[in-house]
Amino acid sequence: MRLDPASARGRGGAEPDLRDRVTAPNPVPASRGRGSMDAPMVAEDTLSTRQTARNPLADEQSGAAPVESIVLVTLAGHGVGRIYPLGAGRTLIGRDEHVDVQVLDDRVSRRHAAIDWNAGRQCFELSDLESSNGTMVNGALCRATHRLKVGDKIRLGRSTVLRLSHVDEVETRFAERMNHVALRDPLTDAYNRRYLQERLVEEIAYARRHECALSLMMLDIDHFKSINDTFGHLAGDAVLQQLAERLHRNIRAEDVLVRYGGEEFVVLCRDTDVSGAVVAAGRLRATVERQLFALGGTEMAVTVSIGVAGWDPSMRAAEELIGAADAAAYRAKAAGRNRVMRHEPGR
């Protein structure tokens, strides 16, 4: 049976709005990621899957026993809490999306530094790859190959600090989980608002430095309160989960999906101008409209209104880009819903 929530008001009493009560059933598996209500899942946010080197690395003066797992832990900067196992080969650190430890900081070079396992000396060694702004180890500039030991702190860019640590499997899994909880929405497994705030600042810095485009979509589910009031909050949660899953499947690997709040989602599009983002938003809108949403034995039509805005050098803060897309989404709703509107300066 197909139901339209916009015409189904009045069946049952109104319940509190979703913003006041969100239950968390099984999260939607993320279909992509890179590399943001807080939240669960792991693989793409924390650990690379390269084999961990088993080695006797330890503080030479501590007399510590050989350790099982050597990792880098992000203590400060982008991605606090992330863990990167060090393998028996080379670990590249930098801003490029193809390195092993990506640091989204405009003062970090694309290939900034490297950590290599020296089998002969049985240790990890750090080298700066002629970066523009240098690499610090324990407060000193790394001018040549530096032999690392557990506890050493590597600083690069504006504020990123990585610490060489050893952890067992239980500790690693716990740290992964905590990092994921800090970055993800528990219901939809999209990134959360906190992550967006951090990522947007970095993406704007990247766009300014490389003079490339950056666009943002704000998606708002049409008549969402009616869905909650008519079918209950569990039905509303199911709609949010299924929508997030469809969005994940239909955006690029480099795009960032965020649950901004309630029934609002954001898609951040690197290296995409407003015209391109409007086309992409139109495809997402059509995908949502075309396929019914399953609610137990019921199928329901759901639509979204989308506002699109592009970053402009005249914008003084990241919030201005979000506000511009939000204003465009509001106009899309006012114009009849289930449509895409682009931000027009001055409106």
Side-chain angles (χ1 to χ4, degrees):
M1 178 174 63
R2 174 173 176 158
L3 297 177
D4 183 347
S7 61
R9 301 175 188 271
R11 291 172 51 189
E15 296 182 33
D17 187 79
L18 180 64
R19 299 174 193 270
D20 300 320
R21 177 167 65 87
V22 176
T23 57
N26 295 328
V28 176
S31 60
R32 62 193 75 223
R34 216 174 24 197
S36 17
M37 307 206 267
D38 299 337
M41 193 159 143
V42 174
E44 68 245 20
D45 291 327
T46 53
L47 289 174
S48 62
T49 56
R50 296 175 301 129
Q51 182 179 2
T52 301
R54 296 176 180 273
N55 61 78
L57 182 65
D59 188 329
E60 296 171 331
Q61 298 180 353
S62 69
V67 298
E68 182 177 356
S69 180
I70 302 298
V71 301
L72 285 178
V73 180
T74 307
L75 297 185
H78 174 73
V80 171
R82 290 186 184 179
I83 293 178
Y84 303 91
L86 296 181
R90 164 164 280 204
T91 299
L92 286 172
I93 305 171
R95 200 179 67 249
D96 190 272
E97 62 184 39
H98 300 297
V99 300
D100 304 295
V101 180
Q102 187 183 30
V103 179
L104 297 175
D105 184 320
D106 63 350
R107 293 190 180 179
V108 172
S109 299
R110 290 182 179 277
R111 294 187 170 222
H112 192 102
I115 297 177
D116 295 285
W117 171 245
N118 187 320
R121 300 178 67 184
Q122 289 290 286
C123 69
F124 285 105
E125 295 176 336
L126 172 73
S127 54
D128 182 86
L129 302 180
E130 299 182 354
S131 66
S132 300
N133 296 300
T135 304
M136 308 285 286
V137 182
N138 300 327
L141 187 64
C142 179
R143 300 184 182 278
T145 299
H146 182 94
R147 182 174 182 174
L148 294 171
K149 64 180 184 296
V150 169
D152 282 350
K153 295 177 181 178
I154 303 167
R155 184 184 180 103
L156 58 161
R158 295 177 183 274
S159 59
T160 299
V161 179
L162 306 169
R163 183 182 188 274
L164 196 74
S165 302
H166 62 83
V167 293
D168 60 26
E169 184 176 355
V170 173
E171 291 172 323
T172 299
R173 294 300 174 190
F174 178 77
E176 290 172 4
R177 184 72 173 181
M178 291 302 98
N179 177 60
H180 195 83
V181 164
L183 299 177
R184 296 276 184 172
D185 168 58
L187 180 67
T188 64
D189 205 47
Y191 285 109
N192 60 28
R193 192 165 177 168
R194 169 192 165 186
Y195 179 84
L196 175 64
Q197 291 169 338
E198 295 178 356
R199 182 64 177 268
L200 192 51
V201 170
E202 292 159 352
E203 290 292 347
I204 288 175
Y206 181 92
R208 180 182 290 114
R209 176 173 178 170
H210 296 279
E211 298 182 347
C212 60
L214 176 67
S215 295
L216 184 145
M217 305 178 199
M218 179 71 74
L219 297 87
D220 197 317
I221 302 175
D222 297 329
H223 302 295
F224 187 72
K225 188 176 186 303
S226 175
I227 296 173
N228 279 330
D229 291 347
T230 303
F231 304 107
H233 283 273
L234 290 179
D237 289 349
V239 168
L240 290 167
Q241 289 177 313
Q242 291 175 56
L243 175 61
E245 187 176 33
R246 292 181 196 181
L247 294 175
H248 269 301
R249 287 200 306 263
N250 288 279
I251 61 177
R252 303 173 303 173
E254 61 267 34
D255 294 336
V256 178
L257 176 65
V258 177
R259 184 179 176 198
Y260 191 70
E263 68 271 30
E264 296 175 319
F265 289 83
V266 162
V267 178
L268 185 60
C269 307
R270 174 187 273 199
D271 202 20
T272 304
D273 61 20
V274 178
S275 296
V278 167
V279 172
R283 289 197 296 264
L284 291 178
R285 184 207 61 76
T287 297
V288 173
E289 180 186 32
R290 186 166 52 244
Q291 186 177 356
L292 298 177
F293 285 64
L295 301 178
T298 299
E299 289 185 324
M300 179 171 55
V302 174
T303 61
V304 293
S305 298
I306 307 177
V308 180
W311 176 75
D312 185 280
S314 65
M315 293 179 175
R316 292 169 293 181
E319 290 73 21
E320 290 187 47
L321 178 57
I322 297 174
D326 190 48
Y330 180 83
R331 288 197 298 112
K333 282 187 169 293
R337 298 182 171 85
N338 190 26
R339 63 193 64 211
V340 176
M341 288 283 194
R342 64 185 293 167
H343 171 65
E344 298 178 12
R347 293 194 59 174

